[in-house]
């Protein structure tokens, strides 16, 4: 998924980092302070919603875009209530991710 997202945004946005799990996502956010974070709900070590909460505790202005499978509808709603700025349901098209990121930056 990370590779696919990076390929989709190439040429329009710069991917400044990637994280393999929620704990790494928090560390990368502290280090890189990206304009937008794309995050899945299901992640190893720490789930995406918990990692998003930690990122928002570090920076209330962080812009987190949740990308999740349709089977996680309740989790997507939970993410939105907890500070996600937008969400996309997988599978999504290149134009959808570019539009979502453009709305956030």
């Amino acid at each position: 998924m990370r590779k696919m997202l990076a390929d989709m945004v190439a040429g329009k946005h710069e991917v400044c980092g990637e994280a393999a799990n929620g704990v790494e996502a928090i560390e990368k956010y502290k280090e890189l302070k990206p304009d937008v974070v794309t995050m899945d709900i299901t992640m190893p070590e720490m789930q995406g919603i918990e990692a998003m909460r930690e990122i928002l505790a570090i920076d209330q202005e962080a812009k987190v875009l949740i990308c999740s499978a349709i089977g996680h509808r309740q989790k997507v709603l939970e993410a939105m209530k907890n500070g996600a700025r937008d969400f996309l349901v997988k599978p999504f098209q290149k134009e959808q991710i570019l539009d979502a990121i453009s709305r956030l930056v």
Side-chain angles (χ1 to χ4, degrees):
M1 179 54 76
R2 293 188 318 264
K3 173 75 170 122
M4 184 184 75
L5 277 170
D7 289 347
M8 286 181 169
V9 302
K12 297 285 185 179
H13 303 283
E14 177 186 351
V15 176
C16 65
E18 295 181 19
N21 60 62
V23 174
E24 192 177 312
I26 296 164
E27 293 307 312
K28 289 286 186 175
Y29 187 84
K30 289 178 188 176
E31 175 188 341
L32 301 169
K33 299 284 191 193
D35 294 332
V36 175
V37 174
T38 59
M39 187 165 315
D40 200 339
I41 288 176
T42 304
M43 299 174 69
E45 291 191 45
M46 179 186 288
Q47 294 294 312
I49 293 174
E50 186 178 351
M52 178 190 69
R53 284 186 194 127
E54 293 287 328
I55 289 170
L56 289 169
I58 295 164
D59 179 3
Q60 293 178 344
E61 300 301 314
K63 297 172 185 158
V64 179
L65 170 63
I66 296 291
C67 303
S68 184
I70 196 157
H72 292 125
R73 182 181 173 97
Q74 272 308 107
K75 290 290 187 182
V76 169
L77 294 173
E78 180 184 347
M80 296 299 288
K81 288 179 185 176
N82 282 280
R85 299 283 181 105
D86 203 351
F87 73 93
L88 291 175
V89 176
K90 295 187 262 182
F92 47 81
Q93 301 299 313
K94 178 178 180 174
E95 295 77 28
Q96 291 172 295
I97 190 72
L98 291 174
D99 288 347
I101 291 171
S102 293
R103 284 191 303 269
L104 295 176
V105 292

